[in-house]
Amino acid sequence: MNIKKSMYLFAGASMFSGGLFAQTVAVSTPHTSLVIEASVGGELKQLYYGSKLTDGELENITASGNAALPVYPVYGMNCQSETALAVKHGDGNMSLQMEVVKVESDKDASSTLTTVYLKDKVYPFYVNVCYRAYQDVDVIETWTEITHNEKNPVILNQFASAYLPIRRGNVWLSSLYGSWANEGRLLQEPLEPGMKVIKNKDGVRNSHTAHAEVMFSLDGKPQENTGNVIGAALCYTGNYKLRIDTDDSEYHHFFAGINEENSAYKLEKEEVFRTPVLAFTYSKEGLSGASRNFHRWGREYRLANGDVPRKILLNSWEGVYFNITQEGMDQMMADIAAMGGELFVMDDGWFGDKYSRDTDNSSLGDWTVNKKKLPEGIEGLLRDAKKNGVEFGLWIEPEMTNTKSELYEKHPDWIVNALGREPVTGRGGTQLVLDLGNPEVQDFVFGVVDNLMTKYPELDYIKWDANMGIMSHGSTYQTKDNQSHLYIDYHRGFEKVCQRIRAKYPKLTIQACASGGGRANYGYLPYFDEFWVSDNTDALQRVYMQWGTSYFFPAIAMASHISAAPNHQTFRSIPLKYRIDVAMSGRLGMEIQPKNMTDEEKDLCRKAIADYKTIRPVVQFGDIYRLMSPYDKLGVASLMYVSPEKDKAAFYWWKMETFVNQHLPRVKMAGLDTGKVYRVHELNRIDNEPLSFEGKTFTGAYLMDNGLEIPYTHRVDYHKQNDYASRVLYLEEVK
């Protein structure tokens, strides 16, 4: 943290109180600075956010002409403006005026924590504005802590995590939208006057129809590897709202936080309300530069076991759906082992005693092995996994129940439901959400995992699903005056459960699956090793979905599986090589069942898995450079991953459409070392003859200035020709 020389320093922290003035405070990462004005007795204001300032620039920042805008705007004394915080005091007063009391700074091995303490001028009402600036990645986290010492409770009507002013100009917004089986779609648009709102109200899942992450391109239409970009990601598991107000001022006003709709919060005396973290970054290297910042931060500080390579797995779902059998699972384990895979995951359908889980309309909550399907139980499956030389995992949906279940028969009061009304059911016509605001339910959900791990400590992987949102608002656990706490307390309970699980089982691999890609958010990822990008495994559509998802999330967290043909969601038939090449750009796995493949297809998959093991460190821990977007409709999509040492790279190229006499752009590479020489090797080759540049060497400068001419088709026998083409190239430094 850079501080003006005139500030007074106390031992162990930087503190400014009484008559001392913290005129400017710079919260800095290796390449960025956030500068705030924190004069004691005055309003906390933001002066600057962008590239890192020198000491001289910091000294003169107040003279630069930058507007000094409130860091955390509050309601009541400027009612016409959008605000971050709005309350109702016990006496009915709905206004706030917050002033700086002091500033503290504390360092640990990897970050600096800066806390600005604010107090209302009249009421004993307090807000701490907190910043954590990392010293090895260019990401700053911010959040607020709200409390009071008033006699009566204070109602929080609005409680955003943060506000960020963005200077008007030719500013474009990149955001993600979609739906089930079509998640992570990219939308890019110029910011125009008016209000842009991105929100979630599902209650359980929060990234199907929109994402709580955005990027702002500050100098025109977004570019992948050039241009100034601010990225922001709200790290929250529940309902959120992002607001961008373009009013008659010189600024776009960006607010991010919990969605306050139907969630007014009664804050008791001395209770602390902590808002979710908003993580933000600044890059001069375009959208991909901002992505690289988020990926490094995510792997290092936000993703469970972010430094551990992810295993290559086979999942049972698209192979047998609910038709689980002991023999079938053993066969699948042998199949993935023969492919060179490392893990088998048994999906839905393995449980239920009184009510057998044969379809999606029963048994959730009854987490006992169905001995009719699995007479030797999980013990037999673990034995078979060991025999086949693979790890074993299974599917659960612990936050849910069905009206047709032993759990619901015992605890009908445990569900989320409007008081005095018949339950509104979801999937299968019977599914219900358990009320995680209830500590008894928290204990039960923790017990689902804990009981499995206690009984079967060899379990390596849990696929945690969530297939329903909150449909009817009500809780038998909450008091009648606190029914509006439902959404917030659900996710507080969810986090408590996850924290208990991770404290006891830190190395257990857990996937966040929520009707597919419903839980792609950094609020979940401290507790999960990865997420299921989408239930849609169609390779062509996955190019679009994984492209958008990669804006904020690294490949190590993005589960991407080779599917069958015709695809089970789109019914499109895509060649196996194309499906492999797309899946290899994330965390590789398989949905397609080897028993249904030809020997030639098995051989191609086996070689691909071996090749993925070679490039896995580059894909899962390297830096992404998106080169040509499928959303630009140029007929091709391309990206690459480069190792931090820039000695290895994996280059991906997918043709997106086929026309006679089409002309596709030549793709230039990025992220390489201009002075290094790289040898090129094609992976997953199906052509009868190697590419002209196979085994040849080129400098990083040449590859970034010119790229390589990729053939539009594969040179294969006539009866194998089709309208798809894709390439994966492995680049390795020649020393």
Side-chain angles (χ1 to χ4, degrees):
M1 175 174 159
N2 296 323
I3 305 171
K4 283 188 69 176
K5 295 179 181 178
S6 61
M7 294 178 181
Y8 188 83
L9 301 181
F10 285 82
S14 304
M15 182 179 294
F16 321 100
S17 58
L20 300 173
F21 291 91
Q23 293 182 340
T24 56
V25 177
V27 179
S28 298
T29 68
H31 301 100
T32 73
S33 291
L34 171 72
V35 183
I36 56 177
E37 180 182 274
S39 299
V40 173
E43 186 178 24
L44 179 62
K45 295 185 177 181
Q46 179 174 316
L47 301 176
Y48 172 86
Y49 179 55
S51 297
K52 191 166 186 176
L53 300 179
T54 65
D55 289 342
E57 290 166 339
L58 179 58
E59 284 285 340
N60 295 316
I61 193 65
T62 55
S64 68
N66 291 0
L69 297 175
V71 165
Y72 199 64
V74 294
Y75 181 80
M77 305 303 288
N78 186 10
C79 299
Q80 295 177 331
S81 298
E82 288 291 312
T83 54
L85 179 64
V87 309
K88 180 180 178 182
H89 299 280
D91 63 3
N93 193 317
M94 296 181 65
S95 66
L96 287 171
Q97 280 184 297
M98 307 303 296
E99 61 184 12
V100 176
V101 176
K102 64 179 180 179
V103 181
E104 290 183 350
S105 176
D106 192 21
K107 290 186 177 181
D108 60 24
S110 60
S111 65
T112 299
L113 174 63
T114 301
T115 305
V116 184
Y117 296 83
L118 308 178
K119 179 191 176 298
D120 185 80
K121 290 186 176 183
V122 175
Y123 291 86
F125 184 91
Y126 310 93
V127 175
N128 299 338
V129 178
C130 307
Y131 300 98
R132 184 175 297 281
Y134 289 93
Q135 301 309 297
D136 55 350
V137 293
D138 284 310
V139 170
I140 297 171
E141 297 175 358
T142 185
W143 67 94
T144 58
E145 297 164 350
I146 305 166
T147 188
H148 72 90
N149 280 316
E150 299 183 31
K151 181 179 179 180
N152 297 312
V154 174
I155 304 301
L156 306 182
N157 290 314
Q158 193 169 53
F159 29 87
S161 294
Y163 157 69
L164 191 65
I166 297 171
R167 181 64 166 82
R168 286 178 69 164
N170 191 7
V171 179
W172 283 59
L173 175 71
S174 296
S175 61
L176 303 179
Y177 72 99
S179 186
W180 175 80
N182 192 27
E183 297 92 335
R185 300 288 298 209
L186 176 64
L187 173 64
Q188 295 179 317
E189 57 188 325
L191 284 180
E192 303 290 354
M195 180 77 81
K196 170 77 175 181
V197 176
I198 299 171
K199 62 178 174 59
N200 177 73
K201 298 169 68 174
D202 182 274
V204 173
R205 309 155 299 182
N206 68 9
S207 59
H208 272 308
T209 59
H211 267 246
E213 306 90 27
V214 292
M215 288 190 189
F216 299 93
S217 296
L218 306 181
D219 38 18
K221 189 174 180 180
Q223 302 296 318
E224 281 294 349
N225 293 295
T226 60
N228 300 307
V229 173
I230 292 174
L234 185 71
C235 308
Y236 186 52
T237 58
N239 293 355
Y240 58 80
K241 182 182 287 185
L242 311 183
R243 293 170 285 151
I244 306 167
D245 180 28
T246 303
D247 59 12
D248 57 348
S249 73
E250 296 290 348
Y251 287 83
H252 307 285
H253 305 280
F254 172 60
F255 297 84
I258 294 174
N259 192 332
E260 77 285 354
E261 293 181 42
N262 300 304
S263 293
Y265 192 88
K266 185 169 69 173
L267 189 67
E268 301 290 345
K269 182 178 181 179
E270 297 184 348
E271 180 185 0
V272 177
F273 186 97
R274 189 181 190 274
T275 63
V277 162
L278 178 73
F280 56 97
T281 190
Y282 177 85
S283 174
K284 298 171 68 175
E285 299 177 348
L287 299 166
S288 287
S291 296
R292 291 190 288 275
N293 291 346
F294 278 124
H295 294 183
R296 292 166 188 154
W297 162 79
R299 289 191 300 262
E300 185 69 25
Y301 297 107
R302 207 73 193 179
L303 176 64
N305 302 307
D307 59 347
V308 178
R310 302 301 192 250
K311 298 182 179 72
I312 301 165
L313 65 84
L314 172 66
N315 184 269
S316 70
W317 180 241
E318 290 190 6
V320 295
Y321 291 99
F322 293 100
N323 300 319
I324 298 288
T325 65
Q326 200 97 33
E327 297 77 13
M329 300 300 98
D330 184 22
Q331 179 63 55
M332 289 184 184
M333 284 186 262
D335 287 343
I336 188 60
M339 293 286 100
E342 301 151 328
L343 169 67
F344 171 73
V345 179
M346 178 174 65
D347 212 288
D348 198 354
W350 60 269
F351 55 93
D353 185 8
K354 180 179 179 180
Y355 302 106
S356 177
R357 179 73 168 178
D358 299 320
T359 66
D360 61 4
N361 68 0
S362 75
S363 314
L364 291 178
D366 303 345
W367 302 106
T368 54
V369 177
N370 185 324
K371 287 299 184 72
K372 293 180 181 178
K373 295 183 178 184
L374 301 170
E376 298 179 83
I378 303 297
E379 296 91 342
L381 295 173
L382 288 167
R383 179 203 63 218
D384 291 341
K386 187 174 183 179
K387 174 189 69 178
N388 289 298
V390 295
E391 301 291 343
F392 179 78
L394 51 74
W395 178 97
I396 56 174
E397 192 174 358
E399 299 160 74
M400 307 288 164
T401 188
N402 296 103
T403 55
K404 187 179 178 181
S405 70
E406 292 183 78
L407 177 65
Y408 183 67
E409 290 172 353
K410 294 175 184 176
H411 298 287
D413 56 321
W414 277 10
I415 66 167
V416 174
N417 187 51
L419 303 181
R421 301 188 186 277
E422 286 297 311
V424 178
T425 55
R427 186 184 185 204
T430 63
Q431 188 154 328
L432 301 164
V433 179
L434 297 177
D435 185 0
L436 270 171
N438 184 337
E440 290 185 354
V441 175
Q442 295 169 28
D443 289 341
F444 170 79
V445 174
F446 169 75
V448 174
V449 175
D450 190 42
N451 293 338
L452 286 169
M453 294 304 298
T454 300
K455 194 170 184 180
Y456 315 113
E458 301 92 343
L459 278 174
D460 184 73
Y461 183 103
I462 294 289
K463 181 178 179 179
W464 181 308
D465 214 337
N467 286 301
M468 182 181 174
I470 290 175
M471 301 296 290
S472 57
H473 190 123
S475 167
T476 58
Y477 174 75
Q478 300 285 354
T479 66
K480 63 182 179 64
D481 294 330
N482 285 348
Q483 290 294 309
S484 62
H485 291 199
L486 172 67
Y487 292 118
I488 292 171
D489 281 357
Y490 182 95
H491 287 278
R492 285 179 172 175
F494 175 80
E495 280 208 278
K496 287 178 182 177
V497 170
C498 291
Q499 288 162 0
R500 291 172 65 185
I501 291 171
R502 276 307 178 193
K504 192 168 183 180
Y505 307 105
K507 300 303 181 183
L508 174 65
T509 301
I510 311 178
Q511 181 191 83
C513 177
S515 303
R519 283 183 164 173
N521 183 288
Y522 277 113
Y524 293 101
L525 292 184
Y527 317 113
F528 293 86
D529 301 71
E530 63 180 31
F531 57 86
W532 186 221
V533 176
S534 177
D535 280 344
N536 186 347
T537 56
D538 176 79
L540 185 64
Q541 196 161 351
R542 272 285 185 132
V543 172
Y544 290 92
M545 293 189 288
Q546 292 177 191
W547 187 275
T549 305
S550 77
Y551 269 48
F552 303 95
F553 302 101
I556 191 173
M558 295 167 54
S560 182
H561 293 181
I562 305 166
S563 63
N567 179 264
H568 289 202
Q569 293 79 42
T570 65
F571 307 102
R572 190 178 0 242
S573 291
I574 295 176
L576 180 58
K577 171 173 168 56
Y578 198 98
R579 287 176 269 150
I580 290 172
D581 288 354
V582 172
M584 282 180 67
S585 66
R587 194 278 289 138
L588 179 64
M590 297 179 69
E591 293 290 325
I592 187 175
Q593 300 300 312
K595 68 179 181 180
N596 299 326
M597 299 165 66
T598 66
D599 288 342
E600 184 178 8
E601 290 173 331
K602 289 179 183 178
D603 189 54
L604 183 58
C605 270
R606 192 177 297 111
K607 290 178 180 177
I609 287 173
D611 283 339
Y612 185 78
K613 291 176 182 177
T614 298
I615 65 172
R616 174 160 50 187
V618 180
V619 174
Q620 296 190 3
F621 301 105
D623 293 323
I624 193 171
Y625 291 84
R626 288 183 299 269
L627 307 173
M628 193 156 293
S629 172
Y631 293 90
D632 287 343
K633 303 299 181 184
L634 298 175
V636 65
S638 181
L639 58 80
M640 63 191 297
Y641 299 99
V642 182
S643 67
E645 300 79 13
K646 297 186 180 296
D647 60 339
K648 299 179 179 67
F651 170 89
Y652 298 82
W653 182 97
W654 301 285
K655 189 168 68 167
M656 304 302 294
E657 59 188 21
T658 296
F659 298 98
V660 173
N661 193 36
Q662 71 181 139
H663 301 282
L664 302 178
R666 183 159 163 166
V667 179
K668 298 178 181 179
M669 297 187 187
L672 303 173
D673 187 320
T674 57
K676 290 183 177 179
V677 176
Y678 299 89
R679 178 170 283 110
V680 180
H681 172 57
E682 183 182 10
L683 307 182
N684 307 333
R685 184 187 129 200
I686 61 172
D687 295 49
N688 292 333
E689 296 181 358
L691 293 168
S692 60
F693 44 75
E694 173 66 33
K696 302 298 191 295
T697 59
F698 304 87
T699 64
Y702 179 87
L703 294 171
M704 292 191 290
D705 288 343
N706 302 280
L708 296 170
E709 193 68 70
I710 307 294
Y712 294 5
T713 59
H714 290 288
R715 296 168 184 145
V716 295
D717 294 345
Y718 183 82
H719 69 281
K720 294 182 179 180
Q721 292 180 357
N722 59 71
D723 57 339
Y724 285 88
S726 60
R727 305 282 176 174
V728 181
L729 305 179
Y730 181 45
L731 280 59
E732 194 167 15
E733 180 188 4
V734 179
K735 297 182 179 179

